[in-house]
Structures are given as C-alpha cells and as structure tokens.
Amino acid sequence: MTAVRHARALASFALRALLFALCLLSGVAAAAAETGDWQRWQEMIDTKPAQLLQEAQAKEAASAGWPEPDRLRLGLLHVRALLELGRADETTGRLLALKAGVEAGADGALLAQWNAYEGAALQAANQGASAMAYWERALPLARAAGDASLESFVLTQRIDAYLSQHDVHSAAAAIEADRRLADAGSDEQLKARHLYWAANLQTTLEDFAAAEASFREAASRFRALGNATWESDSQRLLANVLIDADRAREALEPAQRATALLETLDDPVYLALARSSLAVALVAHDRRDEALALSQRAVQGISTLQAGSSKVSVLLRRAQVLLRAGNAAAAVDLLRRGVQPQLPPESGNPVTHRRFQLLLAEACSALGDAAGARAAWHEVLRLDRRNFDRVLNGQLEAQRAVLEMQRLQSENDLLQLRSAQAERALKAESRTRWLATAIVALLFAAALGALWWLRRVNRRIAAVAALDALTGLMNRRSAVDVGHAAWDAAHRSAHPLAVLLLDVDHFKHVNDNHGHAAGDEVLRQVAALLKQGLRRSDHLARWGGEEFLVLLPGAPEAEAHALAERQRLAVGSAAMRINDGAETLRVTISAGVAGVQPGDADLEAAIARADRALYRAKHEGRDRVVVDGGVAPPASALAGERVPETLPQPVERDASQAVQVVDASASR
C-alpha cells in the first residue's frame, strides 16, 4: 500500500509539473503574440496612416511588458504615423522619450528611424539647418540597414527642405538620387513618391505642363495603391497647377477628388486648402453660391492658424472666388486688410506676392480704381521681370545638378566596370606562374609601403604625444626631455640657463564660476600670450593644470625676471574672451624665477627652486614675480606701473551688457 501511495503521489507531481510547463509555454506564446503585426503596420504607413495611428495608440497601452526593442519600434511607428498625417508638432515629446532607449540599444535601424523622424519634426518647426544634421546621420544608417523606404523618406524630406529654401540645385540632386533609389527596387510607393516630388520641383520651375503630367501619374499610382493621404495631396496640387495655368475649369475634378479624400482624413489644414482650390474651380463653372460658401468654410478651417503660407493661400483663393463672383469690393477689402498684413517677405515667396498683386490689379480694375490697378500692375511687371531670372536660373541649376549626378553615377559605373574587368584579368593571370612573381613583387612593395606608413604614423604619434592637447604647447614629458638637453648644453658651455614657473591666479574661481570650458579657453589664451613674448630659442610648456614652465637658455636671472614681469603685465592687461566671445575676463599670473647654479645636480633642482619662488609669490599676494632667494624689485621699477592684486575680473562685454562682479573668496 505504501508503494502504491508513493507511485500515485509521484504521478500527481509529474502531472502538475507538466501542466505548469504547458501554462508557461502558453504564456510565452501569448506574450510573443501580443507584440505588433509589424509587416502589416509597415504597409499601412503609406496607405492608411490614420488607421495605423489608432492601432498604435491602442497597442501602446498594453506594451509595458513588451521587449524593449519592440516597445521602441512601436513608439517610432506612432511618430511616423503622426508625421504622415501632418501632425509633426505632436512628435517632439514622443521622440524625446524614445531617445535614451534608442541610443542605448545601438540598433542601427531604430537609430536611423529616430534621426530621420527628429529631422522631419524640426523641419516642420522651421528649423531646417538642425534638421539637415539629423538627416545626415540617418541616411548612412538607413543604407546600412537596407531600409530603402526609410532612405527614400529622408531624401524626400531633404527635397522638401531644399524647395522651401529655394535651393533648386540641391533639390534636383536629391530628386535624382531618389529616382535611382526608386528605379533600383520594386516598391511602387517609392516610385509614386518620386513622381510627386519631381512634380513639386517642376512647379517651382514653372514647368506647368511637366508638373501636370507628373501629378496626374502620381495621383493615379497612389489611387491604385490605396494611399488616400498621398493621392489627396497629389490631386490638390494638380488642381493648383491647373488654376495657376489659367485652366480653372479643368481643376474641378482633381479638386473634388482631393476634397472628398481629405474629408475622410484627420487633416483640417489640407482640407481647407483643398476646399479653397475647389471653390475657385466651382466659380469658373458659374456655380457661384457653392463656391462662396465653400471658400468661406475653408477660411473658417484655418482661422485658428498663425500667419503662414497655408493661411495666406486660402485667403488668396477666397479673394479670387469673390472677384470671379462679381464682388470686387469684398475682394479688395480682403486683400488689403486680410492678406497684405500676413504676406511673407517677398524674397522668401515671390510667387505669393505676384498672385496677390495680380488679384489686386484685377479687383481694382473691376472697381474702376485706375490708380490702384496701375500700381498693382506695375508690381506684377516688376515681379515678372525678377521671376523670369529666378525661374531661368533655377532651371539651369536643376539641369546642372541632374547632369552632375548623372556624371558621378557614370563615373561610378565606369569604375565598377573597370574593377570587374581587372578582377577577371587577375583571375585569368592566376593560372600562370608570372602571376606568382607579380604577387611577390606586389607584396614586397606593399611591405615597403606599410613600413614607410608605419614610420610616418609613429612620427606623427610621437609628435602628438609631445604636445599638450589643450594649449598646443609642449607637455611635461617633452619639456623634461628638452630641459635636460638645455641643462647639458649650459653645463658644457658654462652659459646661463634660467627657469620660470608661472601660474594663473585664482584659476579655481574661473572653473567654479564660469565653467571648465571657460577655464580651458583662458588657458589657451594665456598660453598664446606667453608664447608671444619669448625668443625663438626659448621653450614654453604646460607643466600641469594652470602652471606653465619656461626654459630660457643663455638668460641670467635678471633677464629672466624682466621677461617674467613683461609676461605678467601682458596677461594681466589682456581681456580673455570666454563663452564664444559673449564674456570677457581679466586674470593675473604669478611667477617664480630661478637660474641654474654651479652646484645643481640636474635641472630638477632649478625647477624646484623656481617652484618655491612661485609658492612665495602666491603666499605674498599673487600677481607678482619672485626670484629664487628673495622678492624681486617692484614692477614699477621695470614697467612703470604695477597691476593691483585682484581676483579674475569680468570686463564690459558690450555697451548693452552689465559688468559682472565675481566672488572674492576663490583660491588658486
């Protein structure tokens, strides 16, 4: 019976262990299943960003137990969805929260995404220069990760930035690079996006026929791909091209399509822009009441925006509708009171200024205001003359950029071809004994080259090792070597040799109150001043911290003392610029002087006496020179006036800046 009970207990234990293992495995499987549907989400980035945003928000609430890489990946998908929907202002905090985790993980793909999206957020905030730096980091990371979609995203973001800066040359080069990337793969989204950005450049260059064809093709491709976001923008811009080319009646269909798509998306600004373009097309078809109502809704849609290109564009379309509907007085009032105060600088957007002046001229003519119409037409003609040169130069720059990129690509292809031919030739020659001889010769030459290179590198390393990285002066080790050689020469020839030890007074105060960067800048400027006052035969080194050593071959103590006084006065009277020149500061130095004596066993004995003299100079009040064996004559005996003992003092930066008072309690 006992054996039976033991067997039953053992069987029960085994069954429980098996059930526990099954539960654990099911829990792991469930946890794995809880992570994201990455492939489907990746496809939704381009086609359904609004739906992707909703799913990402729902998943983030339950992602606390996810592995860290998956959690970061989900957060970056959320950011990308916001960017695709034009809500870049909501991404700043999210990107900041993800930064530490992305950098700590060292995952090249995630790091590439973070830099790309940070650049896009900065570009949306009109910080193009900062955005470029992030894109420069993102591009090679995306290439290394093999993420063509992200690489294209970075390129198109740069295109957008270049176009906003009117840098047509760089925009054309980036578009050419994006074209090669799109043609190299099979991703239809990338091909459609390339057409979209090419059309934007063609619009900037006022090549309206080419822009129309590119926008139509891009819209058709996006529609086939089910990408409502990009199709709506392509249709909207196509309508604008037709309107600006005086073909407003033909703009009705693309404007209606863009408006219908945007009414299903969460993008009120672009919806207002599409409605304003549709209103112009409607009034061209004599549907005035619909046009007036729709343009008024567009104005209401951007009423909360600050002054900017989108708001000005909607208001100009509203004025255009009023004018075509026969209400020229309302159009003039809107142009002068609503649009003119919000116009961007003419240099930044000459096309908007021309559109404004053209509408104003037409409205004034309709009202019989000959003077106002004449003034506006004069402005239109002036802008047309300037615009002709701008567009022509832009077209030439774009062609030059494309040709340059094509030339570089041709050269690269040629180099690759030659490399392949050379490789084939080497393989063929490997079958002969002459190749062995050539390889030996090449190896011998390579060995000689490596030895030469190694010696050169060693010399460079030795030169760098002999210098102080901060000041560019000799460091302590090289100063000791030079000092021993100088001591030997002085000992053999019985010529004098003097040593100076100089120390920046109250240097701790500079670091404590102005920062170590300011302290480093002070040391660099003090080193430069000390170097200016030396002979070619003298040697200056950074001895350590804020101390400097000067070796003066052939100089007796009296001459060394006079030099030290000149150095003290030069440093004390100089204004040290710190914090990128925003502040200036005065510092003083103390010096100890000692000459090599016949009984000195080596140079260290003289340096030790100079150090003791420096200590006495510090102890007796700083900002003075002390010669080994006693205090030197007052500075007035040598320089006419003695600099008063003070802590480092800031001086006036500019007439508008106050003088900073520093703490008088700092020590050396």
Side-chain angles (χ1 to χ4, degrees), residues 57 107 179 204 343 351 354 450 460 505 529 551 616 619 623 650:
Q57 288 172 334
D107 185 322
R179 180 191 66 78
T204 300
L343 283 174
V351 175
R354 184 189 184 279
R460 289 185 178 179
D505 296 328
L529 288 170
L551 299 173
R616 290 200 302 273
H619 183 69
D623 190 20

Side-chain angles (χ1 to χ4, degrees), residues 25-373:
L25 289 173
S26 64
V28 170
E34 282 299 315
T35 58
D37 188 354
W38 304 114
Q39 184 175 356
R40 186 174 64 86
W41 284 349
Q42 190 66 34
E43 294 171 355
M44 291 170 62
I45 285 177
D46 290 314
T47 57
K48 300 175 181 178
Q51 181 180 339
L52 171 60
L53 180 61
Q54 292 178 355
E55 292 192 20
Q57 288 172 334
K59 280 290 185 182
E60 280 183 338
S63 65
W66 285 17
E68 182 68 3
D70 287 339
R71 190 185 65 80
L72 294 171
R73 191 176 177 185
L74 178 62
L76 289 169
L77 271 173
H78 192 159
V79 170
R80 178 67 179 270
L82 289 171
L83 291 172
E84 292 294 336
L85 292 171
R87 293 161 59 180
D89 55 321
E90 301 177 34
T91 64
T92 304
R94 293 184 174 275
L95 286 167
L96 185 61
L98 295 170
K99 181 179 181 181
V102 169
E103 291 179 343
D107 185 322
L110 295 181
L111 199 57
Q113 291 177 43
W114 190 91
N115 280 282
Y117 302 159
E118 177 70 9
L122 289 170
Q123 171 64 16
N126 297 318
Q127 300 181 44
S130 301
M132 286 294 178
Y134 285 98
W135 291 330
E136 287 295 332
R137 289 194 288 269
L139 206 54
L141 290 170
R143 287 172 181 160
D147 192 340
S149 176
L150 184 63
E151 185 180 350
S152 177
F153 175 83
V154 175
L155 285 172
T156 54
Q157 287 292 316
R158 293 173 70 172
I159 293 166
D160 190 18
Y162 289 137
L163 289 176
S164 66
Q165 298 164 10
H166 307 288
D167 186 353
V168 175
H169 185 279
S170 299
I175 286 174
E176 180 64 16
D178 185 62
R179 180 191 66 78
R180 293 200 310 272
L181 181 65
D183 291 345
S186 58
D187 191 332
E188 294 301 321
Q189 293 285 351
L190 301 189
K191 297 179 189 295
R193 286 198 182 196
H194 168 72
L195 284 170
Y196 170 88
W197 286 109
N200 274 276
L201 178 61
Q202 291 157 355
T203 303
T204 300
L205 298 176
E206 298 189 8
D207 187 356
F208 294 127
E212 177 189 352
S214 296
F215 276 131
R216 286 190 187 279
E217 179 64 19
S220 174
R221 293 193 181 196
F222 284 128
R223 189 169 189 172
L225 293 166
N227 191 335
T229 302
W230 283 79
E231 185 198 348
S232 66
D233 210 36
S234 300
Q235 297 281 14
R236 179 182 66 83
L237 293 176
L238 171 60
N240 286 342
V241 167
L242 294 171
I243 292 171
D244 292 338
D246 294 328
R247 296 162 58 192
R249 291 179 62 84
E250 300 175 44
L252 181 61
E253 182 180 349
Q256 285 177 328
R257 176 65 179 171
T259 303
L261 289 171
L262 284 163
E263 285 174 346
T264 67
L265 302 173
D266 183 15
D267 204 336
V269 175
Y270 280 91
L271 177 59
L273 290 168
R275 283 173 172 169
S276 66
S277 299
L278 178 57
V280 175
L282 288 171
V283 80
H285 283 266
D286 293 328
R287 295 161 64 176
R288 300 183 181 182
D289 292 339
E290 293 179 63
L292 288 170
L294 191 60
S295 67
Q296 184 59 35
R297 288 180 66 189
V299 171
Q300 292 171 354
I302 50 91
S303 60
T304 59
L305 293 181
Q306 299 292 328
S309 59
S310 298
K311 191 168 188 176
V312 169
S313 179
V314 171
L315 292 175
L316 284 172
R317 294 300 189 206
R318 170 67 175 172
Q320 192 173 1
V321 170
L322 289 170
L323 181 60
R324 299 293 184 268
N327 196 346
V332 169
D333 183 68
L334 176 60
L335 289 168
R336 287 179 171 164
R337 295 187 181 184
V339 178
Q340 191 167 14
Q342 302 186 59
L343 283 174
E346 182 183 313
S347 59
N349 201 333
V351 175
T352 300
H353 277 263
R354 184 189 184 279
R355 188 177 298 163
F356 167 79
Q357 294 292 348
L358 184 61
L359 287 173
L360 185 61
E362 292 179 5
C364 288
S365 297
L367 289 176
D369 182 3

Side-chain angles (χ1 to χ4, degrees), residues 517-666:
D520 290 346
E521 189 58 34
V522 167
L523 289 178
R524 280 192 288 267
Q525 296 181 46
V526 168
L529 288 170
L530 295 177
K531 193 173 182 180
Q532 290 175 4
L534 299 179
R535 303 169 302 176
R536 295 185 64 180
S537 60
D538 299 334
H539 305 287
L540 174 62
R542 184 181 178 194
W543 194 241
E546 66 270 23
E547 286 188 352
F548 298 89
L549 174 74
V550 182
L551 299 173
L552 303 172
E557 281 187 350
E559 185 178 338
H561 166 254
L563 172 65
E565 280 291 347
R566 290 195 299 272
Q567 299 282 44
R568 182 184 67 81
L569 292 173
V571 172
S573 60
M576 307 291 173
R577 293 190 174 275
I578 60 175
N579 298 330
D580 295 330
E583 299 179 63
T584 53
L585 190 70
R586 293 194 188 278
V587 299
T588 60
I589 61 173
S590 299
V593 181
V596 172
Q597 298 178 359
D600 289 340
D602 51 26
L603 183 65
E604 280 73 11
I607 294 175
R609 286 188 280 104
D611 188 62
R612 287 195 295 271
L614 174 61
Y615 179 79
R616 290 200 302 273
K618 291 287 187 179
H619 183 69
E620 293 169 9
R622 297 180 176 84
D623 190 20
R624 64 187 62 209
V625 177
V626 171
V627 180
D628 176 44
V631 180
S636 58
L638 294 172
E641 181 180 356
R642 188 174 188 280
V643 177
E645 178 191 341
T646 60
L647 290 173
Q649 294 293 318
V651 298
E652 287 188 353
R653 307 172 195 164
D654 295 307
S656 62
Q657 294 177 313
V659 175
Q660 177 187 0
V661 179
V662 297
D663 183 12
S665 63

